[in-house]
């Protein structure tokens, strides 16, 4: 079934809610206050199906003080019914709503001339011409102009047919699912339910979700689209999700749900804006920012002026993190005035200089992603993850990779999806070279270098090692890299070095990994050497991470037996008095004593069995 969202817009009392009711019988104004005052206060959601088409209606309030609620519905419209009363014509919120829809990028529209019963046919026709001329200025794609009266069933039927025959497009698919919560409630025995419009990509019931604003993962217990249980909800579906692992009280309208791993939040994001009419955006001033169904207070700083501008780039600085994506629209208001609309260019804060930032914003505005990569790479010398392209550029991994491949002077790790500037390779090469110059017995692998260069991908390290093989500085044996200048048999040398080291450290040897790292030795090779020393009985493994020189062990065991002779027993206390080692060693050696048949253990003390 295809599903589209058609919203309403227009001045208060022009008949929006009545028209929806006439179409599908849905009583929108159900809040107590709505009934008392006879106006729509909050959004209301209803739907109607015909054949394999479903239309979800989002009805919005027309009151000038409630434009904030209108925006939190309008960002999700695929199309809009512009409702203008034939009797009243264009009024202030007709204009404001049209402006907001334009700023939000809603294009497809049906122009509904309401309350036609109040005019003669002649008056009506001239009113339609007038209204049409006015609305034309906003350049909507007006698919039909339909005069209606709720008292004229034929006109309502006509509108309904028209709505079902519209050639509607869903919003463009993005790379991942997003949903701004617009209602939250809890049902006894079921838990938290939220509703919203599916954006970005479809969602399946088994998907793991992430509530960005409270940094919380949750799962879907049940999912409904228009009161039907479903396994999948598609783009533009109005969906109700019964969530597990989260209390309804912790959720609010405006919170963003997504899948884990796609979005990062930032307190600063960059936008490109245009103001409405005569308004100007002031530098360093606080405004209310509307994104999706969320609104927040934030400071706006301008690029290119320390006073005010009617268009340009700006940075939004908020107290809380904003989870947004490239190309997302937002509305900037001051009190009850809509000042400007904007498009998010840079949803991620990078450590960029102002001149670099300006270049980046220019590139992003032009959708020139390769140039954007080049600028970003200057700030991400240790690698720019392509996975972030979904948020950064609204590109899939594949598209991002394709664009990245066009770049010069870059190293692209296609497996780990990271790009590095080629200049970074020198950092890696110099780093490796320095190790082998200082220690001609160094024997490292890619994975052992990765431990020291955690930001570098395996294949970037490998390419750098290859360079050192090519220059003749290193030799590769199996997966290990050794210096070309040492002629000795490395395994003998390393065995001797490890043994010497254990000998020196005597009864307080360091853990194997520390020894290997100190000797610039690959950990797996180190383990093999240590194993060989153990089978030759030159080294003994006392416990998991404690390897000791065999002579040192014999010595300490003899000393322990002496203590028993002197004190009749040994325990941690009298042992520590003679050998102030750390407990780790003392306990290990005491436990080791239990291997001897002449030793027995009672209440944490060891005695001779023959005593
Ligand atoms: N005469 C006439 N009155 C209408 C028509 N449609 C709505 N109304 C009345 O206009 C008033 C406002 O309607 P409502 O649907 O609440 O307007 P909204 O604020 O745009 O949602 C109500 O009293 C309706 O009964 C119509 O087609 N003809
Ligand atoms: Mg209404």
């Amino acid at each position: 079934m295809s599903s589209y969202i058609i919203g309403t817009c227009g001045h208060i009392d022009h008949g929006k809610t009545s028209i929806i009711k006439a179409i599908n019988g849905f009583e929108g104004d159900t809040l107590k206050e709505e009934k008392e005052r006879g106006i729509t206060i909050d959004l209301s959601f209803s739907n109607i199906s015909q054949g394999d088409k479903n239309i979800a209606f989002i009805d919005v309030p027309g009151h000038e003080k409630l434009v904030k609620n209108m925006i939190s519905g309008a960002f999700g419209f695929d199309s809009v019914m512009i409702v203008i009363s034939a009797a009243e014509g264009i009024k202030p919120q007709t204009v404001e709503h049209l402006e907001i829809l334009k700023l939000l990028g809603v294009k497809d529209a049906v122009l509904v001339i309401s309350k036609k019963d109040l005019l003669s046919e002649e008056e009506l026709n001239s009113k339609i011409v007038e209204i049409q001329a006015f609305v034309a200025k906003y350049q909507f794609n007006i698919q039909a102009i339909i005069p209606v009266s709720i008292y004229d069933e034929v006109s309502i039927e006509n509108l309904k047919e028209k709505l079902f025959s519209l050639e509607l497009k869903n919003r463009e698919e993005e790379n991942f699912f997003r949903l701004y919560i617009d209602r939250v409630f809890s049902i006894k025995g079921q838990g938290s339910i939220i509703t919203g419009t599916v954006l970005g990509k479809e969602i399946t019931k088994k998907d793991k979700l992430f509530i960005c604003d409270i940094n919380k993962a949750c799962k879907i217990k049940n999912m409904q689209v228009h009161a039907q249980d479903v396994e999948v909800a598609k783009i533009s579906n109005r969906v109700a999700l019964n969530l597990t692992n989260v209390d309804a009280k912790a959720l609010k309208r405006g919170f963003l749900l997504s899948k884990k791993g796609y979005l990062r939040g930032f307190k600063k994001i960059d936008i490109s804006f245009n103001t409405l009419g005569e308004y100007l955006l002031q530098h360093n001033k606080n405004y209310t920012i509307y994104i999706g169904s969320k609104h927040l207070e934030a400071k706006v700083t301008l690029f290119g002026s320390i006073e005010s501008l009617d268009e340009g780039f700006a940075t939004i600085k908020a107290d809380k993190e904003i989870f947004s994506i490239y190309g997302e629209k937002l509305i900037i208001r001051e009190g009850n005035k809509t000042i400007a609309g904007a498009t998010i260019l840079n949803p991620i804060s990078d450590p960029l200089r102002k001149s670099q930032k300006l270049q980046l914003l220019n590139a992003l505005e032009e959708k020139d992603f390769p140039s954007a990569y080049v600028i970003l790479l200057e700030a991400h010398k240790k690698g720019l993850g392509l996975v972030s392209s979904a948020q950064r550029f609204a590109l899939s991994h594949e598209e991002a990779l394709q664009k990245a491949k066009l770049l010069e002077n870059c190293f692209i790790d296609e497996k780990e999806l990271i790009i590095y500037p080629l200049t970074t390779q020198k950092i890696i090469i110099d780093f490796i070279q320095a190790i082998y110059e200082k220690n001609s017995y160094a024997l490292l692998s890619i994975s052992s270098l990765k431990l020291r260069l955690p930001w570098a991908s395996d294949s970037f390290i490998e390419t750098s090692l290859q360079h050192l093989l090519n220059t003749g500085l290193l030799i590769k044996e199996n997966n290990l890299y050794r210096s070309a200048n040492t002629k000795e048999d490395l395994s003998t040398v390393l065995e001797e070095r490890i043994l010497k080291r254990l000998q020196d450290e005597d009864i307080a040897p360091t853990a194997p990994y520390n020894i290997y790292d100190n000797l610039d030795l690959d950990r797996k090779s180190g383990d093999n050497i240590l194993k060989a020393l153990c089978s030759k009985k030159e080294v003994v493994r006392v416990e998991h991470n404690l390897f000791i020189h065999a002579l040192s062990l014999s010595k300490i065991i003899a000393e322990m037996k002496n203590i028993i002779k002197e004190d009749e027993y040994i325990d941690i206390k009298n042992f520590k008095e003679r050998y102030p080692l750390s407990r780790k060693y003392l306990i290990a050696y005491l436990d080791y004593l239990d291997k001897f048949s002449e030793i027995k253990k009672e209440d944490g003390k060891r005695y001779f069995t023959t005593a």
Side-chain angles (χ1 to χ4, degrees):
M1 179 174 278
S2 57
S3 190
Y4 302 94
I5 293 183
I6 301 185
T8 60
C9 83
H11 198 73
I12 185 163
D13 269 351
H14 279 202
K16 298 178 288 300
T17 307
S18 307
I19 288 168
I20 302 255
K21 188 177 176 190
I23 293 174
N24 66 2
F26 181 77
E27 180 61 73
D29 295 340
T30 49
L31 294 176
K32 186 162 164 273
E33 198 187 349
E34 288 179 325
K35 281 194 186 136
E36 278 169 16
R37 294 171 62 186
I39 64 163
T40 307
I41 291 171
D42 208 346
L43 302 172
S44 72
F45 306 92
S46 62
N47 80 307
I48 184 170
S49 294
Q50 197 177 79
D52 66 345
K53 264 193 181 172
N54 178 71
I55 294 172
F57 292 113
I58 300 183
D59 186 29
V60 307
H63 195 287
E64 61 166 318
K65 296 228 165 79
L66 299 168
V67 173
K68 61 180 196 306
N69 290 349
M70 178 266 174
I71 300 172
S72 62
F75 78 93
F77 293 0
D78 291 321
S79 171
V80 61
M81 275 197 279
I82 302 169
V83 179
I84 302 175
S85 156
E88 290 200 357
I90 308 295
K91 298 292 263 186
Q93 269 64 55
T94 317
V95 176
E96 190 170 11
H97 284 189
L98 291 178
E99 282 170 340
I100 287 168
L101 290 166
K102 198 161 172 237
L103 295 175
L104 289 174
V106 177
K107 293 210 171 62
D108 290 323
V110 175
L111 182 53
V112 181
I113 315 293
S114 60
K115 307 195 184 184
K116 74 180 177 88
D117 54 290
L118 298 178
L119 278 74
S120 71
E121 203 176 315
E122 204 175 310
E123 287 168 326
L124 178 66
N125 287 336
S126 81
K127 205 75 196 176
I128 292 174
V129 173
E130 193 184 300
I131 290 172
Q132 199 183 347
F134 183 85
V135 173
K137 290 193 285 194
Y138 293 88
Q139 295 167 321
F140 284 94
N141 172 25
I142 303 278
Q143 300 209 11
I145 301 171
I146 306 170
V148 301
S149 162
I150 56 167
Y151 305 113
D152 174 4
E153 225 170 277
V154 177
S155 71
I156 295 295
E157 211 39 52
N158 181 28
L159 171 60
K160 190 153 90 179
E161 286 317 306
K162 204 77 211 179
L163 294 179
F164 276 107
S165 64
L166 291 176
E167 290 288 321
L168 290 182
K169 291 186 298 292
N170 284 143
R171 50 183 52 243
E172 259 178 58
E173 189 160 314
E174 292 156 6
N175 293 298
F176 54 95
F177 160 79
R178 294 185 304 128
L179 177 148
Y180 283 102
I181 295 180
D182 48 39
R183 278 178 303 174
V184 184
F185 46 94
S186 60
I187 294 182
K188 226 176 168 191
Q190 289 188 41
S192 313
I193 317 256
I194 62 98
T195 70
T197 301
V198 176
L199 307 175
K201 217 180 195 75
E202 66 177 31
I203 176 185
T204 66
K205 205 174 135 186
K206 59 180 192 314
D207 285 335
K208 289 195 187 101
L209 300 186
F210 194 67
I211 308 163
C212 298
D213 307 72
I214 51 171
N215 193 14
K216 195 170 172 66
C218 65
K219 283 192 198 158
I220 303 171
K221 193 150 60 165
N222 192 29
M223 180 157 85
Q224 290 195 333
V225 172
H226 303 304
Q228 303 284 322
D229 286 358
V230 291
E231 294 296 314
V232 181
K234 300 211 175 89
I235 287 197
S236 289
N237 275 166
R238 290 283 316 158
V239 70
L241 301 175
N242 184 351
L243 300 176
T244 61
N245 189 33
V246 58
D247 189 21
K249 288 196 200 84
L251 300 174
K252 280 203 188 84
R253 170 178 285 181
F255 279 12
L256 182 66
L257 257 66
S258 185
K259 283 185 31 179
K260 201 169 175 159
Y262 281 99
L263 285 175
R264 285 187 291 155
F266 294 91
K267 289 182 179 167
K268 277 195 218 170
I269 59 171
D270 303 308
I271 57 167
S272 158
F273 70 91
N274 280 291
T275 58
L276 284 177
E278 301 294 301
Y279 288 127
L280 294 175
L281 209 56
Q282 312 280 333
H283 178 64
N284 241 340
K285 185 172 163 167
N286 286 340
Y287 290 94
T288 312
I289 311 292
Y290 292 75
I291 310 180
S293 63
K294 182 200 317 269
H295 59 94
L296 52 111
E297 300 304 309
K299 181 174 271 181
V300 171
T301 54
L302 302 174
F303 283 79
S305 169
I306 48 162
E307 282 164 22
S308 58
L309 288 174
D310 63 348
E311 60 172 16
F313 298 139
T315 299
I316 291 174
K317 294 181 192 169
D319 292 338
K320 288 195 199 123
E321 287 177 338
I322 302 173
F323 294 80
S324 61
I325 68 166
Y326 175 78
E328 196 168 2
K329 302 283 187 208
L330 55 85
I331 302 283
I332 300 173
R333 304 186 85 219
E334 185 185 1
N336 279 332
K337 290 184 306 224
T338 304
I339 306 287
T343 304
I344 293 176
L345 293 181
N346 186 25
I348 292 178
S349 290
D350 295 290
L352 291 175
R353 289 193 309 275
K354 196 149 185 201
S355 60
Q356 287 177 311
K357 176 64 83 61
L358 201 57
Q359 276 178 27
L360 176 67
L361 295 180
N362 275 312
L364 289 171
E365 180 143 69
E366 300 296 318
K367 290 197 164 61
D368 175 2
F369 300 121
S371 298
Y373 276 131
V374 171
I375 299 156
L376 285 169
L377 278 172
E378 287 178 35
H380 294 269
K381 292 210 165 40
K382 293 188 171 172
L384 178 67
L386 284 175
V387 174
S388 71
S389 302
Q391 178 175 17
R392 233 181 234 293
F393 309 135
L395 295 178
S396 66
H397 298 355
E398 299 78 47
E399 290 166 329
L401 195 58
Q402 225 177 2
K403 297 244 174 349
K405 280 185 182 164
L406 301 175
L407 302 177
E408 286 170 10
N409 299 321
C410 279
F411 177 85
I412 302 171
D413 186 323
E414 295 194 26
K415 211 169 112 232
E416 293 185 37
L417 293 169
I418 308 175
I419 336 176
Y420 301 89
L422 222 44
T423 47
T424 301
Q425 190 159 13
K426 189 165 171 347
I427 300 175
I428 300 183
I429 292 172
D430 289 351
F431 180 82
I432 301 173
Q433 201 166 335
I435 295 173
Y436 286 89
E437 272 167 13
K438 222 173 94 199
N439 175 6
S440 51
Y441 300 121
L443 185 65
L444 293 170
S445 62
I446 294 171
S447 60
S448 43
L449 282 164
K450 172 103 182 161
L451 291 171
R452 303 182 188 199
L453 299 166
W455 49 266
S457 75
D458 287 5
S459 72
F460 200 21
I461 294 175
E462 186 171 14
T463 313
S464 311
L465 282 163
Q466 187 59 49
H467 175 86
L468 291 166
L469 294 177
N470 295 346
T471 59
L473 197 87
L474 298 184
I475 296 172
K476 184 176 174 189
E477 279 166 9
N478 300 317
N479 287 320
L480 299 169
Y481 295 81
R482 56 177 287 179
S483 165
N485 299 326
T486 23
K487 301 287 172 251
E488 296 114 295
D489 173 25
L490 258 195
S491 59
T492 316
V493 173
L494 288 167
E495 218 178 274
E496 281 164 8
R497 293 186 92 194
I498 290 182
L499 193 62
K500 170 82 172 57
R501 169 120 184 191
L502 288 176
Q503 192 178 6
D504 292 347
E505 291 178 347
D506 195 24
I507 57 169
T510 42
Y513 281 0
N514 293 340
I515 299 179
Y516 309 155
D517 291 355
N518 267 200
L519 297 178
D520 299 313
L521 172 60
D522 168 65
R523 290 183 174 181
K524 218 168 129 207
S525 316
D527 280 344
N528 289 335
I529 294 172
L530 213 44
K531 238 187 245 166
L533 286 168
C534 286
S535 44
K536 286 196 232 165
K537 307 238 184 307
E538 292 184 72
V539 169
V540 178
R541 185 182 197 176
V542 174
E543 65 170 28
H544 173 66
N545 234 356
L546 180 55
F547 290 77
I548 183 169
H549 196 285
L551 296 177
S552 303
L553 182 65
S554 312
K555 192 183 73 186
I556 191 73
I557 295 296
E559 297 292 338
M560 289 166 85
K561 288 180 180 170
N562 268 337
I563 294 175
I564 302 181
K565 269 183 206 144
E566 283 169 24
D567 294 4
E568 282 181 20
Y569 69 90
I570 185 166
D571 68 359
I572 194 121
K573 192 159 171 279
N574 63 356
F575 191 14
K576 195 173 174 80
E577 275 160 20
R578 263 86 146 199
Y579 290 90
L581 295 170
S582 82
R583 284 177 70 86
K584 173 183 84 170
Y585 295 111
L586 297 175
I587 292 169
Y589 298 143
L590 284 169
D591 287 346
Y592 193 78
L593 265 192
D594 297 338
K595 288 191 193 309
F596 295 87
S597 57
E598 73 264 39
I599 303 286
K600 65 176 181 194
K601 183 180 171 190
E602 265 167 35
D603 299 333
K605 294 187 162 97
R606 269 89 177 174
Y607 305 85
F608 285 127
T609 43
T610 51

